[in-house]
Amino acid sequence: MDYNRVFTQAIDRLHAEGRYRVFIDILRNKGMFPNARCFAGHNGPKPVTVWCSNDYLAMGQHPKVIAAMEEALHDVGAGSGGTRNIGGNTHYHVDLEAELADLHGKEGALLFTSGYVSNEATLSTLAKVLPGCIIFSDELNHASMIAGIRNSGCEKRVWRHNDLEHLEELLLAEDPEAPKLIAFESVYSMDGDVAPLHAICDLADKYNALTYLDEVHAVGMYGPRGGGISDRDGAASRITVIEGTLGKAFGVMGGYIAADQVIVDVIRSYAPGFIFTTSLSPVLVAGALASVRHLKQSSEERKGQQAAAAMLKKLFADAGLPVMNTDTHIVPLMVGDPIKAKKVSDILLAEYGVYVQPINYPTVPRGTERLRFTPGPAHSEEMMRELTQALIEIWSRMEMKRAA
């Protein structure tokens, strides 16, 4: 076996399909988001504007968050010291879990090292604890949810995206006594659409199923206190488990679940992804704690983000650019070809100082490759107009189709 040849061929396939991923060499400028400096292909740093960060509200730059992290660093040091069971449980962790439980109106919460881990660990553990469990998964669920379902070893049924009739067909076909879990997201991050939470909960009630909601692209940004779409729509009390992240709107790092205390205790006690990993640094937890507390009280960032998203969608649409219609903060611009998407991204960075990554398969289906813009409260109207003009020029240069 020529191992090197096999590995080289695997990478060559990605290049041939236009799907080889290139990571930018960049540093953000503290307190000046979305401004950053890029080192790739330049003689030293070049100023750029970031348009694709999941730090949706720029909370990673917020003075309260930075101050809290600095205070924790000088108070307790850098690392957590181990797993939560062995040296890695701090008062910061306890406080943040209490804040997150309160945010979602649940009895308890549990921190993980990332949103990916919280999904994988929780879904796989829940299904293992429930003998004969069947998980009903929306077809556009995140890779971490799919991994958790697969690793559980349970039966799964995939329902067409947001198609309640199909979901009910699948529920109806199963043994009424079998344990059931419906897993779905609130905001789907690539298309920017929203799940009908109450309608899904109605089906869960009808067929005696538990519900698992991934709110990672909504926490901090929707609802009067930033509890997500379930907070905005008054549905949190109907959801069995709410999962979220601290690495997007909250601007730091980590994942979590919120649920009844007994469910939290089951995951805490049985999930290998929680038990056998070093806990989050208290420095990170302190920053997340400050961010959650701030966004519970402040709606200014949420309002600014929604206004920016609405403006950018209108500018793109008025310019005839193929923007996908969404009701959320996600602004996807359809390209439909991986090589062209990468080329547009490269030109924007090299010639216009605009950083936006192309989104290709397997993140989105083949033929739906796109640029995904995430305007926030710190993106000015001038930035948006300059971006729109740059895209118009590139679309014309590359002879790409404009919207009718």
Side-chain angles (χ1 to χ4, degrees), residues 41-58:
H42 309 295
N43 294 320
K46 175 183 178 181
V48 297
T49 302
V50 178
W51 282 99
C52 57
S53 174
N54 284 342
D55 186 358
Y56 292 125
L57 303 180

Side-chain angles (χ1 to χ4, degrees), residues 4-234:
N4 189 64
R5 177 178 60 83
V6 174
F7 296 144
T8 300
Q9 287 176 343
I11 295 298
D12 288 345
R13 285 196 298 272
L14 295 178
H15 281 291
E17 296 172 12
R19 295 196 294 118
Y20 183 75
R21 297 172 186 242
V22 177
F23 297 159
I24 194 171
D25 184 356
I26 193 173
L27 289 172
R28 297 197 293 180
N29 298 317
K30 189 186 83 166
M32 299 177 65
F33 187 81
N35 296 317
R37 52 201 191 274
C38 175
F39 295 82
H42 309 295
N43 294 320
K46 175 183 178 181
V48 297
T49 302
V50 178
W51 282 99
C52 57
S53 174
N54 284 342
D55 186 358
Y56 292 125
L57 303 180
M59 289 303 295
Q61 305 285 309
H62 199 283
K64 287 183 181 178
V65 174
I66 294 171
M69 295 178 75
E70 289 177 338
E71 181 180 349
L73 177 65
H74 293 291
D75 183 30
V76 300
S80 68
T83 65
R84 290 286 293 276
N85 185 52
I86 305 174
N89 192 67
T90 75
H91 190 61
Y92 288 109
H93 291 77
V94 174
D95 274 353
L96 180 53
E97 286 174 343
E99 287 287 348
L100 292 168
D102 174 76
L103 176 66
H104 296 292
K106 299 297 184 185
E107 292 178 351
L110 191 66
L111 287 173
F112 295 82
T113 51
S114 74
Y116 189 105
V117 174
S118 56
N119 269 336
E120 192 283 327
T122 304
L123 283 168
S124 63
T125 302
L126 279 177
K128 286 177 181 175
V129 170
L130 293 168
C133 181
I134 304 167
I135 296 185
F136 298 80
S137 176
D138 186 288
E139 67 177 342
L140 294 189
N141 278 342
H142 190 264
S144 57
M145 300 175 75
I146 295 169
I149 295 167
R150 182 185 301 117
N151 292 340
S152 75
C154 74
E155 291 288 320
K156 71 172 181 179
R157 307 288 182 262
V158 178
W159 46 292
R160 291 188 294 271
H161 178 53
N162 278 350
D163 187 334
L164 298 180
E165 289 185 6
H166 188 218
L167 173 58
E168 184 162 20
E169 286 176 18
L170 295 174
L171 288 164
L172 188 60
E174 300 301 333
D175 180 354
E177 299 302 316
K180 302 174 184 68
L181 174 65
I182 304 172
F184 56 105
E185 300 182 36
S186 57
V187 174
Y188 288 84
S189 64
M190 291 302 127
D191 291 349
D193 57 343
V194 176
L197 303 194
H198 281 291
I200 293 172
C201 289
D202 289 343
L203 289 177
D205 292 343
K206 183 176 180 180
Y207 293 96
N208 193 28
L210 303 178
T211 48
Y212 183 98
L213 175 63
D214 178 318
E215 284 263 41
V216 297
H217 290 279
V219 289
M221 294 173 285
Y222 297 90
R225 298 197 308 157
I229 298 296
S230 58
D231 182 20
R232 185 196 72 179
D233 293 355

